[in-house]
Amino acid sequence: MPKLTKKQRAELAAKLAEEARLAAEAEAKRLKEQRIKIEALKKELAEQKITYGKEEAERLKTEAKANREVEIQHNLELKKIEAEASKTKDWSDFLTCSEIPDPVNTADLNSFVLVQREEVPENSRDIEHIIKTCAQSQRMIKETERQISKLLEEGNQGPDYKNLLGIIKELRLHSLYLLNSYTLNTLRTIDTLLDKKRIFQMNHGAHGVRFAMWVRYPDDKAGDDGVGDIEMDKIGITLSRVPATLQIEGESAGLQIMHVDYDMLSSQSDTLGPYTTIGGVFYIRRLHLPGEAIHTRGYIRRNRKTETQKLTFLRYPNDGVDTPIGDLHVSLKLPENLFITETQPMIGWWNSEKMAWCSDGHREKDTKYDAKTHHLHIKIWRLEPFAVLQPRALDFPYLDWNLMKQTEGKESGVVLTLKGSRFEVKIIATSQGVSLLSPAVPGYEGVMSPGHLLLRLKKSGLNLVPTDDDAKFCHKPLKSKTLEEKSCNDLAHVVGVLDISGCRYSSSQEADVALVKIRESCYVLPEPEPEAEPEKVDPNAKPDPEVVKAEAAAKEREELLAIMTKETLEDKKLKGISDDKDGWRTVCVQEDKWMLINASKFHLRNNKPEPAEGCITHLNLSGVIKERYPGKENDLETVPALLKETVKKLLRLVRPLVFH
């Protein structure tokens, strides 16, 4: 290439500069035109939004008027049914002449508590009477818990709910007080109750309460052959290999053994711990025994200094001893309806300093559980209240959930399926109530109210009644109460017409937005259609100018929208990946409306739910049914009012929109 002269180089530079200037001017002109088009598009979209908002408000107002009429009819039907049920219950209570008051009547409840306080004299040693009183309190607690379950079904945790919890707490504390009073009264005259081996042993049990005492004074004359096994046959608890160090200075030993089917200790703490108890709480406590009385010439002389004036429990290991001195082998039978899947369940202790259940020092090798016989064998090295523990958030968040129409059997209903970390729980809801289908556990065969069933399951170790406080343990953001209530109500009104399923992107939405999937009940997958032959295109045919112009305009509009929303290439790919399959369609619920949405991964991941193309918003799911499934809205009238109410209560308790 010949070398350019100075003049040629100057001309070339000027030419390149001119080309750059013209290109810059063209680019500036293009960007200016693009900005003008974007501003025009923004103005157009804003006007569309205003117009759509007015149309939406008018449409939702019209739907609200029609919905009020449906709600009034639904409530009238429910009141009529409830009135008939109330008459039947009142007559049944009259015939049975139950000594247990109606938990709805606060005055009767308070009177019952006062009577229970005066039922047993303070110095009573009649254990059968005491256990009978405790059992009567347990029956009252059971009835009160039924009323609590009804309040929870209604979403009512106000003064009535708190008052009933206070009544239950007071009855339980009084039962513990009676058992401790019996222990104290027995110790005051323990020397008159010893057998020939200088041992006192008793055990007694009733519904919800198992109680035992064991006291031993060594007999120097007969020789001390050790403690041996302590078998409490009436309450199903056996202590073996009792460490000699349980004795006080080698002179005497006393134990109070108790099992209650509730946890009173956790209620003492202001904060929730990471563990909950199942199967109740066990107490094995070392007693401070009085000095022995002296028997001379038919008289009994007791040392007032060593006489037991108040009940005192001694620590084991002793103060200042951190290491185990000896293990106490305990064999006991747990209730048969517990949900324990491990052969070595976690055993925990109540830490009175931290006011929480802890598993410190728990050794798995020291625990063995037989699921067939429900016997638990453990070694304990300290005498603190202990229980079988499980993580608070063990069964939620739910891996998946759905609500499907019952297609088998004579009775119409729907089945709620909750897939947890341990079980796939199936609960069938009918007009009469709910029943547990799986897992199959003894004691859950009958029909119950949703609250009664779920609270029983929770007590047995399958917690499907999560609270706001539980959300932090499973890292789930809460939804607004208005949204949850609207969702439960609207979903319950379409059961049997639509199948409902959870959406995995729901928890990533804002607090006032949730996502679920719907499809026709008893949906049958269509047969795959044969592949269509490719359409033959004439290569010589000229394209329609109008079509070409429309395609170009649509492409330009899409490009402008992408610029406005800063959309990436990855976003464009995700837009085409639908999350809806097998007849399912994703719907979005907000505090005031429902809508079918574009179920692409872009919209769901980026928290941008918007009505699907050609779809509009509706006040409730009934409107979505009319839009998506024409003709199906007539089927809504065939769904029984009691079934709708049962499903609403069930959803209100398990809270799948939050804990999925």
Side-chain angles (χ1 to χ4, degrees), residues 343-361:
T343 56
Q344 295 178 320
M346 182 189 303
I347 303 298
W349 321 89
W350 178 252
N351 189 319
S352 55
E353 295 179 357
K354 297 180 180 179
M355 298 298 287
W357 288 100
C358 303
S359 58
D360 303 342

Side-chain angles (χ1 to χ4, degrees), residues 258-265 277 279-283 357 385-387:
M258 188 162 51
H259 169 243
V260 292
D261 64 354
Y262 48 84
D263 176 11
M264 281 293 296
L265 300 171
T277 64
V281 178
F282 294 88
Y283 299 82
W357 288 100
F386 66 94

Side-chain angles (χ1 to χ4, degrees), residues 1-10 12:
M1 184 177 179
K3 188 175 181 181
L4 298 177
T5 64
K6 185 176 181 181
K7 182 179 179 181
Q8 289 174 330
R9 288 198 299 272
L12 180 61

Side-chain angles (χ1 to χ4, degrees), residues 323-421:
T323 57
I325 303 174
D327 290 336
L328 175 64
H329 293 234
V330 181
S331 175
L332 49 91
K333 187 174 182 180
L334 295 176
E336 296 182 0
N337 59 353
L338 298 186
F339 292 86
I340 299 178
T341 57
E342 308 89 352
T343 56
Q344 295 178 320
M346 182 189 303
I347 303 298
W349 321 89
W350 178 252
N351 189 319
S352 55
E353 295 179 357
K354 297 180 180 179
M355 298 298 287
W357 288 100
C358 303
S359 58
D360 303 342
H362 168 64
R363 300 170 294 192
E364 287 189 357
K365 64 179 182 179
D366 293 343
T367 305
K368 185 178 180 182
Y369 177 68
D370 188 337
K372 293 182 178 179
T373 62
H374 309 286
H375 275 90
L376 178 67
H377 304 274
I378 57 175
K379 298 178 185 178
I380 59 176
W381 53 270
R382 56 183 174 186
L383 299 185
E384 299 284 354
F386 66 94
V388 179
L389 301 184
Q390 68 179 23
R392 182 173 295 278
L394 179 61
D395 296 299
F396 47 78
Y398 310 122
L399 304 179
D400 198 6
W401 70 277
N402 61 63
L403 196 60
M404 313 282 278
K405 184 176 181 179
Q406 169 77 349
T407 56
E408 299 177 358
K410 298 180 180 179
E411 192 169 13
S412 62
V414 292
V415 176
L416 173 66
T417 302
L418 299 168
K419 294 182 180 178
S421 60

